[in-house]
Amino acid sequence: MTRRMTEQELLACFDEAVRDGHIFVTYQPKINHATGRMIGAEALMRWTNPEFGMQYPSDFIPVLEKNDLIYRADLAVFESVCRFLRYCLDNHIDPVPISVNMSRYDIYRKKYVEAIEELRRKYDVPVKYLHIEVTETSAIGGMELMSSVLKQLHENGYIVEMDDFGSGYSSLNVLKDLAVDVIKLDMRFLSGNIGGRGGTIISAIVQMAKWLGTPIIAEGVETMDQADYMKSIGCKYIQGYLYSKPVVQDEFLKKMQKLEHEPMKPAMDLITAMDAGKFWDPTSMETLIFNHFVGGAVIFTYQNGKAEILRVNKKYIREIGMNMIEQEILNTDPLLGLDEKNLKIYCDTLERAIASDDEEVCETWRTICSKICGEDKICVRSYIRLIGRTDNQYLFYAMVQNITAEKNRFNQLYESERRFRFASEQANVYAWEVDLATKRMRPCFRCMRDLNIPPVVENYPEPVIENGIFPPDYADMYREWIKKLENGEVDHLEGVIPLTVGRVPFYVRYSLERDENGKPLKAYASATLVVDS
Ligand code: C2E
Ligand code: CA
Ligand code: CA
């Protein structure tokens, strides 16, 4: 009869279960979702009773913990994993690292790490094949105790994985204080609305883990959507039913031989003086500064000509985003919108920043593509600084300004000046333009040369009335013209006006330019000599 065993029944047959192998191990692969390769596996305890059938960890582990027996079961699992790894090595099968769970009650046992070391040596398994999973809740017994156990594990060469991260006990703060090598983020604690708050928390954790240089594994991944989402925010390591349920040793051995293996990516070494931990704490001053005071800012990695954005602040989205949402920005290769010439400018600047260890500046045009707005070209000024590096990967911090409007104004000015110069040299004509909002007038080259008008005339038309270019008896009429243009009452104006003290008759013509809402922008004017025929 298969049924859940009572506490008494479990305790009564525990010795026998350990001795006769009723407690055994199943293996669940950890996969790089980007490459499909296996990066490791987790050893999960199972118990089949000859009479009552399969018992589940959620039922029997609390019983063992309560009765101070869990360490014996955990050591049985550890030994079984060592035996499996020994078998692989003896048979020239390349194994992946296997993670073994350590109960929080094992933390209290002074000799626990010694005990696993003894087993490991007995089977002569290199420590690189064994990872230890500890849970956040282990820290409940005190950070000092936890830290000393982690230190002991590290001294013996074990990679330590933080299990059930995000289960809510203390999360972000624990991470900064505990030296763990890998983070396991359980999707089931954060599931539900990936697009909403759950998603925000997940992506914040993933980005923080990246910043700390800690590889992160998403656990409990059941659907392709979840896996793709995790990959899209930069967490490509996946463990869950999507790839495989925990399977018995023989079946796992087949899977392991079928799939290619790869190691988990090493951590990034930070060379910055900035406190990375504080930087990701949503309540810290650093985050406040990042979001509110520094302008648009982005943190990205750079490796062999490829860049990947890790974090952007709110102002970055406003400056560069062109209506993109943060997710779109994080998914976009920041070098993608640069053409060959601009890419070279940008990459040269990165190289300079690497060499100088100082802030370097560049201006580049890029094409921005958003789902909402389509394509647009923008010009960005970037102040770039190197803040971290590994052997071949660099971490940069860049402050950005969208200077497209500034650039366009300059180009327009340059263009209109060129037009004026051209016009005045070709024809017997004086030309100028009046910015109606600012009452600022810009004359053509000929006006400047022949009539001694400065390049910019403020408070137009008063100065040209004052200096007598427009004679006093035409002053009010001329002011009226400008007012009509300012008010948008007319689109064209023309008439003969005798100019200068010499009262030379000129044919003066105005045409009005309006913005898309019909609001008057600029008036373009020309004056041609009236020739009697
Ligand atoms: P855990 O360490 O977080 O292990 C992951 C659990 O999630 C496993 O449950 C695994 O079968 C399950 N899982 C994996 N992928 C999925 C998925 O896609 N969907 C769902 N719904 N579940 C998934 P399991 O094997 O029942 O173990 C439960 C817990 O019991 C473990 O949680 C761990 O805390 C504990 N445990 C298991 N083996 C050991 C062990 O050898 N020693 C100790 N101390 N605890 C163990
Ligand atoms: Ca685990
Ligand atoms: Ca877990």
Side-chain angles (χ1 to χ4, degrees):
M1 176 185 59
T2 299
R3 70 158 167 86
R4 212 174 119 181
M5 291 160 73
T6 65
E7 181 163 347
Q8 275 72 29
E9 286 164 344
L10 285 168
L11 294 176
C13 61
F14 178 71
D15 285 336
E16 175 198 323
V18 173
R19 191 191 61 220
D20 297 346
H22 298 160
I23 289 178
F24 65 100
V25 182
T26 56
Y27 294 85
Q28 188 176 35
K30 300 172 177 177
I31 304 288
N32 180 344
H33 185 55
T35 62
R37 299 202 181 108
M38 201 187 283
I39 56 159
E42 177 174 4
L44 291 158
M45 197 189 301
R46 293 291 178 265
W47 183 341
T48 49
N49 181 274
E51 193 182 345
F52 300 112
M54 186 69 139
Q55 305 297 308
Y56 285 90
S58 52
D59 297 326
F60 67 79
I61 283 178
V63 172
L64 298 182
E65 285 184 336
K66 189 173 144 208
N67 292 280
D68 202 20
L69 292 170
I70 187 68
Y71 78 98
R72 287 181 54 200
D74 278 345
L75 289 176
V77 167
F78 193 87
E79 177 160 18
S80 179
V81 170
C82 285
R83 208 181 294 121
F84 170 66
L85 287 166
R86 184 74 258 152
Y87 171 85
C88 292
L89 295 169
D90 285 345
N91 290 281
H92 309 289
I93 298 164
D94 179 31
V96 292
I98 308 290
S99 310
V100 182
N101 287 285
M102 184 167 170
S103 159
R104 69 188 177 96
Y105 293 89
D106 298 336
I107 304 265
Y108 299 122
R109 302 198 75 86
K110 288 209 170 57
K111 302 228 157 119
Y112 190 80
V113 179
E114 271 175 46
I116 61 170
E117 269 301 89
E118 204 176 297
L119 287 168
R120 189 179 69 77
R121 278 195 295 268
K122 178 174 158 196
Y123 290 90
D124 191 22
V125 174
V127 71
K128 67 171 177 177
Y129 292 120
L130 288 156
H131 293 189
I132 303 294
E133 289 192 11
V134 297
T135 65
E136 265 183 286
T137 48
S138 307
I140 290 173
M143 285 299 267
E144 270 122 74
L145 181 60
M146 178 82 173
S147 293
S148 79
V149 171
L150 292 190
K151 188 159 163 261
Q152 230 186 326
L153 287 167
H154 279 146
E155 277 166 0
N156 285 297
Y158 289 93
I159 295 219
V160 180
E161 304 187 8
M162 172 65 84
D163 205 357
D164 296 351
F165 190 73
S167 59
Y169 166 60
S170 47
S171 296
L172 305 185
N173 295 325
V174 167
L175 251 204
K176 275 185 292 159
D177 301 332
L178 288 178
V180 293
D181 309 294
V182 177
I183 293 166
K184 295 187 77 180
L185 182 63
D186 198 313
M187 300 296 285
R188 284 164 294 171
F189 294 126
L190 302 151
S191 67
N193 51 344
I194 265 176
R197 207 179 101 81
T200 312
I201 294 170
I202 291 173
S203 74
I205 292 173
V206 171
Q207 286 163 20
M208 180 190 60
K210 280 188 164 190
W211 179 257
L212 294 173
T214 315
I216 185 157
I217 300 172
E219 195 181 11
V221 175
E222 294 182 354
T223 66
M224 194 54 93
D225 276 353
Q226 283 178 322
D228 288 343
Y229 172 76
M230 291 310 294
K231 196 180 85 180
S232 81
I233 61 171
C235 172
K236 46 187 191 277
Y237 301 139
I238 301 288
Q239 177 187 345
Y241 293 172
L242 172 67
Y243 278 104
S244 170
K245 292 204 167 185
V247 293
V248 294
Q249 187 173 306
D250 286 350
E251 202 176 321
F252 175 68
L253 190 63
K254 284 190 207 121
K255 276 186 198 288
M256 196 174 72
Q257 287 175 284
K258 210 171 77 192
L259 282 184
E260 278 184 68
H261 306 172
E262 71 176 47
M264 259 187 278
K265 212 167 85 185
M268 180 169 308
D269 225 1
L270 291 180
I271 56 169
T272 172
M274 232 188 290
D275 182 335
K278 272 195 201 138
F279 198 81
W280 291 110
D281 176 354
T283 63
S284 77
M285 195 49 102
E286 279 78 358
T287 298
L288 202 68
I289 290 170
F290 186 67
N291 269 332
H292 298 283
F293 300 115
V294 298
V298 55
I299 293 167
F300 61 96
T301 60
Y302 179 70
Q303 180 174 26
N304 304 328
K306 273 221 189 94
E308 190 185 342
I309 296 182
L310 300 189
R311 193 181 176 187
V312 295
N313 69 0
K314 294 196 184 94
K315 284 196 182 132
Y316 181 92
I317 299 172
R318 237 176 293 151
E319 289 279 301
I320 311 297
M322 313 295 290
N323 279 319
M324 277 201 268
I325 52 169
E326 182 167 354
Q327 204 46 59
E328 276 185 276
I329 292 177
L330 290 175
N331 290 345
T332 309
D333 177 349
L335 303 181
L336 206 63
L338 299 165
D339 64 15
E340 202 178 323
K341 184 179 122 209
N342 283 287
L343 184 64
K344 175 148 179 21
I345 295 173
Y346 199 78
C347 291
D348 285 351
T349 312
L350 295 183
E351 296 298 337
R352 279 207 315 281
I354 291 168
S356 71
D357 219 345
D358 204 348
E359 187 170 274
E360 301 290 341
V361 188
C362 68
E363 288 175 11
T364 46
W365 283 90
R366 60 181 65 204
T367 309
I368 293 283
C369 222
S370 97
K371 275 194 195 124
I372 304 164
C373 282
E375 261 190 31
D376 221 331
K377 256 200 176 327
I378 61 171
C379 186
V380 179
R381 185 183 292 139
S382 312
Y383 302 85
I384 302 172
R385 185 186 277 279
L386 181 71
I387 54 172
R389 73 166 101 205
T390 58
D391 287 348
N392 54 359
Q393 193 177 34
Y394 296 96
L395 188 69
F396 288 103
Y397 176 85
M399 299 242 299
V400 297
Q401 289 172 331
N402 185 340
I403 54 167
T404 316
E406 195 178 306
K407 282 277 161 189
N408 282 342
R409 259 199 308 281
F410 178 83
N411 287 347
Q412 253 170 24
L413 222 62
Y414 182 83
E415 182 54 29
S416 66
E417 210 146 87
R418 202 184 59 78
R419 257 201 334 262
F420 278 158
R421 204 162 291 167
F422 182 75
S424 61
E425 271 148 28
Q426 292 302 308
N428 200 7
V429 64
Y430 294 91
W432 64 96
E433 61 178 45
V434 182
D435 186 302
L436 295 167
T438 60
K439 291 181 175 290
R440 196 171 283 153
M441 176 272 226
R442 298 182 55 82
C444 73
F445 177 67
R446 257 173 103 108
C447 295
M448 293 195 265
R449 189 190 58 193
D450 296 355
L451 300 166
N452 204 21
I453 295 175
V456 178
V457 178
E458 305 284 352
N459 195 29
Y460 195 78
E462 295 312 318
V464 293
I465 291 170
E466 241 160 69
N467 72 10
I469 293 178
F470 284 80
D473 49 332
Y474 279 82
D476 282 340
M477 176 205 122
Y478 193 55
R479 287 190 185 107
E480 198 60 34
W481 274 24
I482 303 295
K483 191 149 275 140
K484 278 187 177 158
L485 291 164
E486 276 172 9
N487 295 339
E489 288 167 39
V490 289
D491 282 290
H492 297 281
L493 276 171
E494 50 190 61
V496 176
I497 304 179
L499 293 183
T500 76
V501 281
R503 295 185 78 86
V504 185
F506 273 84
Y507 198 68
V508 180
R509 231 184 293 222
Y510 266 97
S511 59
L512 179 68
E513 183 192 31
R514 298 172 187 268
D515 69 11
E516 64 266 28
N517 301 317
K519 202 172 142 255
L521 270 182
K522 275 185 186 174
Y524 296 95
S526 65
T528 352
L529 193 63
V530 177
V531 199
D532 291 326
S533 50

